[in-house]
């Protein structure tokens, strides 16, 4: 397992989607089967043997890393989606963006009372999205076991938003 290989497989796209943003493009990692597989190995190594009842993937790149991890750990996999995408009864949380607000939803029956959830996404920037998904888990009666990200944009201190819950990241940039 080689973190340098994973870092090298992530493409940095400057000024996307707007000037000043360094977009971390994981599509290049997905094209490298060994780097992709190793990224899942890092998550597995961290969470194998942990008390986790459900993995919650955040739309959309959290699905890519969360579903293979759920299969490897033998855990149910739930999805947190943008509004209006989930067909059955949902629970929603609204959260602040730089300009305006956004909303995220989960199926009400995806998380049972007391379920320990591992929340996963490709990247944490400000932490606002992950925090909202944590609130979704708690609204459903679950508990946050941990958050996990492939990439942590450490300068933005998003991890502070999620304290005191544990946060794992494969790569800090
Ligand atoms: P935040 O709520 O600020 O932590 O933003 C996290 C969400 O936005 C994740 O779903 C990321 O996929 C996406 N995101 C934010 N900043 C970037 C970035 N620089 N590169 C790639 N994705 C990003």
């Amino acid at each position: 397992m080689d973190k340098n290989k994973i870092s090298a497989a992530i493409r940095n796209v400057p000024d996307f989607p707007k000037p000043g943003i360094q977009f971390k493009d994981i599509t290049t990692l997905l094209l490298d089967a060994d780097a992709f597989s190793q990224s899942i190995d890092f998550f597995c190594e961290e969470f194998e043997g942990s008390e986790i009842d459900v993995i919650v993937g955040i739309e959309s790149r959290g699905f890519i890393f969360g579903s293979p991890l759920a299969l490897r750990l033998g855990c149910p996999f739930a999805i947190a989606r943008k509004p209006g995408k989930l067909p059955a009864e949902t629970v929603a949380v609204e959260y602040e963006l730089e300009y305006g607000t956004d909303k995220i939803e989960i199926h009400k029956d995806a998380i049972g009372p007391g379920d320990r959830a591992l929340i996963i996404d490709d990247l944490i920037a400000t932490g606002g999205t992950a925090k909202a998904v944590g609130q979704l888990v708690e609204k459903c009666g679950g508990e946050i076991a941990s958050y996990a990200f492939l990439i942590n944009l450490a300068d933005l201190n998003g991890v502070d938003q999620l304290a005191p819950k544990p946060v794992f990241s494969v790569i800090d940039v």
Side-chain angles (χ1 to χ4, degrees), residues 100-166:
T101 60
D102 212 342
K103 207 178 190 188
I104 192 137
E105 297 182 338
I106 197 164
H107 275 146
K108 201 174 175 185
D109 58 6
I111 295 171
D115 275 358
R116 289 176 53 77
L118 169 62
I119 296 166
I120 185 166
D121 203 355
D122 67 327
L123 180 142
I124 176 167
T126 65
T129 312
K131 187 179 176 187
V133 175
Q135 289 168 348
L136 279 183
V137 165
E138 289 177 338
K139 257 185 149 174
C140 292
E143 288 173 26
I144 302 161
S146 182
Y147 295 90
F149 306 93
L150 184 68
I151 307 157
N152 172 23
L153 299 185
D155 287 351
L156 296 179
N157 297 317
V159 167
D160 296 350
Q161 289 259 11
L162 309 179
K165 300 297 179 192

